[in-house]
Amino acid sequence: MSSTNDRPTGRPRTIDPDAVSLVALRLFDEQGFDAVSMDDVAAAAGISRRSLFRLFPSKAALVWGGLDEFATRFTDALRARPADEPSATALRAAYRVGASFPEETIEVTRHRLRVIRTNPSLQRGGDATITSLTDAIVRFVAERDGGTVDDLAVIVRASTLAAATNAALTWWASGGAGRPADAVDRAIDLLG
């Protein structure tokens, strides 16, 4: 017969969302996104299904979790650039800051980018953030270079930069050498 003394005392165990995300991303990367269920993730992470859904409402949320941190680092760095600095210099510096992932997130970032790359259906999950970032770049370039947000040259330049940096990060995640910020620098250099 069980008594109330058998229950654990103190605070309930807290669940580290980053650790759960890493477990999920490893599974997705090794077994394929579609082959892994939320039940599989919960079991591998040692948490209940209910706790998993409380942290991550969907499988896609397990993958896209880090994009917001990148976007915040990038946009904060862009806003902090000197007003008289050329747009190209400011954007390069902001992308370096955005792609300077904290050391403890390097592995999860690498898995995240590989999973997104190999699962095109996931790309829709980040569309809103990616569109918002591209729009911020368009506005920044227009303001710095004296153009307008509907100027074709401004839009093409901003979109090309966003695509090149995304390609560089995907390349890095797939086994490219060095740090993510270095890959971004190389991609920007290739744009000439």
Side-chain angles (χ1 to χ4, degrees):
M1 181 181 221
S2 182
S3 72
T4 56
N5 293 337
D6 293 339
R7 282 189 266 153
T9 59
R11 270 176 77 180
R13 171 175 79 113
T14 53
I15 300 168
D16 179 3
D18 294 332
V20 173
S21 185
L22 179 57
V23 167
L25 288 164
R26 283 178 178 158
L27 288 172
F28 298 155
D29 202 10
E30 294 164 7
Q31 300 175 23
F33 181 76
D34 292 331
V36 177
S37 70
M38 289 294 269
D39 288 332
D40 296 332
V41 172
I47 62 174
S48 71
R49 187 175 195 275
R50 183 176 179 175
S51 293
L52 178 62
F53 274 102
R54 203 172 305 135
L55 292 170
F56 301 98
S58 67
K59 278 178 33 176
L62 283 158
V63 176
W64 284 105
L67 185 59
D68 291 336
E69 290 88 9
F70 170 86
T72 299
R73 281 194 310 273
F74 172 79
T75 54
D76 288 350
L78 198 56
R79 277 194 284 277
R81 300 308 304 169
D84 60 344
E85 186 174 57
S87 64
T89 304
L91 286 163
R92 177 186 291 265
Y95 264 112
R96 277 202 66 81
V97 170
S100 293
F101 299 98
E103 191 59 40
E104 65 275 8
T105 67
I106 291 292
E107 181 185 1
V108 75
T109 300
R110 196 177 288 272
H111 285 294
R112 175 177 286 120
L113 291 169
R114 282 197 305 246
V115 169
I116 292 167
R117 171 75 173 105
T118 58
N119 295 280
S121 64
L122 276 172
Q123 292 176 0
R124 288 188 312 267
D127 281 350
T129 303
I130 292 167
T131 299
S132 176
L133 272 175
T134 304
D135 289 348
I137 296 167
V138 167
R139 285 189 305 276
F140 183 81
V141 170
E143 289 169 13
R144 284 286 170 107
D145 296 350
T148 63
V149 294
D150 58 352
D151 182 350
L152 179 61
V154 169
I155 293 168
V156 167
R157 186 166 167 228
S159 298
T160 301
L161 182 62
T165 56
N166 182 51
L169 290 171
T170 301
W171 171 83
W172 167 81
S174 298
R179 307 283 301 162
D182 297 334
V184 164
D185 257 352
R186 286 179 60 197
I188 293 170
D189 285 342
L190 291 170
L191 294 176

